[in-house]
Amino acid sequence: MPLKKGSSKEVIEANIKELIAAGHEPDQAAAIAYKEAGMAKDESIRFALDSVRRLDADGRLHVAVSNISKS
């Protein structure tokens, strides 16, 4: 099944699910989906889908927790 067109969160999530069902690893599926949505500027960029990182509607990456160092 071809990927859906668009860059909304719902379209990207649907494309990721479709790519995973087709046999892609989750991080690879996310990279492909974001690239198809026009949000990845480089093929080497991979986005992890977790509760800490997300992309907003403008394509900016938001990180909720980022430990730079620990004692």
Side-chain angles (χ1 to χ4, degrees):
M1 176 176 220
L3 297 177
K4 296 180 180 181
K5 301 289 182 192
S7 60
S8 71
K9 181 178 178 180
E10 293 80 18
V11 169
I12 292 170
E13 288 176 354
N15 286 341
I16 291 170
K17 287 179 184 178
E18 180 67 31
L19 289 162
I20 291 172
H24 293 279
E25 293 293 322
D27 61 340
Q28 183 184 28
I32 294 168
Y34 281 108
K35 182 178 179 203
E36 289 295 317
M39 299 177 113
K41 295 175 178 58
D42 185 339
E43 288 185 27
S44 65
I45 295 174
R46 291 184 179 203
F47 294 98
L49 293 178
D50 55 26
S51 61
V52 179
R53 293 172 275 190
R54 67 176 179 84
L55 285 176
D56 67 11
D58 295 322
R60 291 180 287 232
L61 181 66
H62 294 265
V63 181
V65 177
S66 179
N67 294 330
I68 296 173
S69 63
K70 293 184 178 182
S71 56

